[in-house]
Amino acid sequence: MPHTSDPDEDDLDAIPRPHPVFHVEQALLGALLLEPQRLREVTGISPDAFSTAAHRALFATIRSLPAPDPVEHAKNAKWLDTVLTTARAEACGLSAPYLHSLVQVCPLARHAPAYARMVEAEHCRRRLAAAAQRLTHTATDTSHPQRVAATLTEADAVATVVDDIAARFPPHPGSLPRTLVPLPARPQHEEAADEERLLLAATTAHPSSVEQMPWLTPGDFTHPLNAGLWQCLTALDRRGTPIDPVTVLWEAQHRGLLRPGANPRELLGLLSGSFGSPEHWGERVVQRSVLTAADHAGRAIGAFTDDVASTPYQLVVGSRRALAGLSVVRTRWRHAASPSPQPAHRTPRARATRAAAVPRAGPPQTTAPSATRSPR
């Protein structure tokens, strides 16, 4: 007969197994309960480094109580009773059998410093994972009134955690992060597409603004067509070609931006009409790019911390690489938010004249120049 599960029967398989660090914490606490004087050798961790409330309460209690005399401690359990009574104030589930089990599972008390180092490493992983999660949450929280400023604050907090891990675990020769972090596609929100279209139309109507926005790149756009049209505008401006909807349409055709069967009138309509200043819409576009880069950085760091095979060194290297991409966009956004005075705009005619004045190399001369005859 098939076995019918009892509703009151304990499903042990449903209980998540503790992580390896849980057993490391048990070994460390057992070593300190067995030989309390080993606490002098345990540095770099605090009660917050432990993964459970019971372990945090035990370690805090061991640190707060004076170590007993080793000889007396070997004869009786008086100090252990004091530890249990004190720790129960923070973790009422603690019991005397659990303290004795901690002592029994500790392989060697003299390895306490090594156990502490492992606990410290896992705590750094959890801290970094939490900071990365806050960064991603803030970057995607559309209800936040100051989302960009708050996101950059969280990015600085992540960088602080990374620097602290690097200080605790100095760099050493080792492999780079092996976790593959696929770059997610940029979200194509309708609001973002509208702002990009307004930027393209305003810039087409005011071509001189192209030189005022060197901080804007095609990668800041969420839609490939809009990114391509921005490249058309910058290319026309660089060559000194007049800019209007028709010239941009012609450039777009040569860059392969017009899909087969596309209606050119739609593109002309997109580039016609101007509402607001190009710099305003450009700042909005790069601001959205900052949030996207922060979201990508947070997810990448989260992937590194989720990989339990990553060492602290690999976490530092991978996180700094992820934050470097955000730093580039952040710098451009700062230039957009506080633009510096720009030189006077050169008209296309002036730039074309200047370009024409530059001497060009002619074809190679294969015959000797004829001698000039002297007058008779």
Side-chain angles (χ1 to χ4, degrees):
M1 295 179 60
H3 173 69
T4 303
S5 60
D6 186 349
D8 297 329
E9 183 180 358
D10 292 335
D11 187 2
L12 298 180
D13 292 336
I15 301 176
R17 290 186 174 90
H19 296 287
V21 71
F22 178 83
H23 302 284
V24 178
E25 294 173 4
Q26 285 188 320
L28 173 59
L29 293 172
L32 298 179
L33 292 173
L34 184 62
E35 300 180 10
Q37 66 274 13
R38 297 285 180 184
L39 183 63
R40 298 191 301 267
E41 305 171 7
V42 175
T43 59
I45 62 172
S46 63
D48 293 337
F50 291 82
S51 59
T52 68
H55 289 179
R56 288 192 290 269
L58 274 176
F59 185 75
T61 301
I62 293 173
R63 288 205 313 176
S64 64
L65 296 177
D69 179 77
V71 178
E72 292 295 327
H73 183 59
K75 294 179 181 179
N76 58 68
K78 182 178 180 180
W79 186 79
L80 292 178
D81 293 338
T82 304
V83 170
L84 178 60
T85 303
T86 306
R88 271 181 173 173
E90 298 296 332
C92 58
L94 284 172
S95 63
Y98 185 68
L99 265 63
H100 288 290
S101 68
L102 293 178
V103 174
Q104 293 174 357
V105 299
C106 176
L108 290 172
R110 66 174 180 271
H111 290 171
Y115 303 151
R117 192 67 166 167
M118 299 174 193
V119 172
E120 181 183 5
E122 193 62 25
H123 182 224
C124 288
R125 181 193 304 279
R126 293 198 302 269
R127 290 174 54 209
L128 183 57
Q133 187 176 15
R134 289 193 299 269
L135 173 60
T136 301
H137 174 75
T138 307
T140 56
D141 183 10
T142 57
S143 64
H144 201 291
Q146 300 292 335
R147 184 154 58 126
V148 176
T151 298
L152 296 180
T153 299
E154 294 297 340
D156 291 338
V158 174
T160 300
V161 174
V162 173
D163 291 341
D164 181 66
I165 297 175
R168 292 173 178 268
F169 297 87
H172 58 83
S175 60
L176 298 178
R178 63 180 183 179
T179 308
L180 297 178
V181 184
L183 187 64
R186 294 181 66 93
Q188 297 183 6
H189 301 297
E190 189 60 30
E191 181 183 0
D194 290 341
E195 291 176 352
E196 293 171 3
R197 287 191 286 265
L198 289 170
L199 165 65
L200 295 171
T203 306
T204 303
H206 305 282
S208 61
S209 61
V210 175
E211 289 187 355
Q212 310 301 322
M213 294 184 287
W215 32 262
L216 188 63
T217 68
D220 295 324
F221 290 77
T222 61
H223 198 283
L225 175 60
N226 296 338
L229 292 176
W230 179 253
Q231 288 180 308
C232 293
L233 287 166
T234 55
L236 292 173
D237 178 77
R238 187 168 55 251
R239 296 199 305 261
T241 304
I243 296 178
D244 61 34
V246 174
T247 59
V248 177
L249 172 66
W250 190 250
E251 182 72 16
Q253 173 179 307
H254 287 284
R255 289 178 175 265
L257 299 179
L258 301 182
R259 301 186 306 272
N263 187 357
R265 288 186 177 274
E266 295 181 358
L267 184 57
L268 290 174
L270 184 151
L271 297 172
S272 301
S274 175
F275 303 94
S277 67
E279 291 80 3
H280 167 74
W281 297 119
E283 183 179 345
R284 292 282 297 175
V285 171
V286 75
Q287 175 177 297
R288 193 180 301 275
S289 185
V290 169
L291 297 174
T292 301
D295 181 36
H296 291 178
R299 294 181 185 275
I301 297 173
F304 294 137
T305 58
D306 288 342
D307 186 357
V308 296
S310 299
T311 65
Y313 168 76
Q314 291 173 324
L315 291 178
V316 169
V317 174
S319 299
R320 283 179 171 171
R321 285 187 173 185
L323 292 174
L326 171 59
S327 179
V328 172
V329 186
R330 180 178 186 173
T331 300
R332 292 193 287 104
W333 176 75
R334 283 177 173 173
H335 286 295
S338 55
S340 57
Q342 298 289 336
H345 176 66
R346 302 191 305 271
T347 62
R349 180 183 299 275
R351 283 182 293 175
T353 303
R354 178 174 297 183
V358 178
R360 294 187 177 183
Q365 191 172 10
T366 58
T367 59
S370 58
T372 305
R373 292 185 179 183
S374 59
R376 292 184 179 178

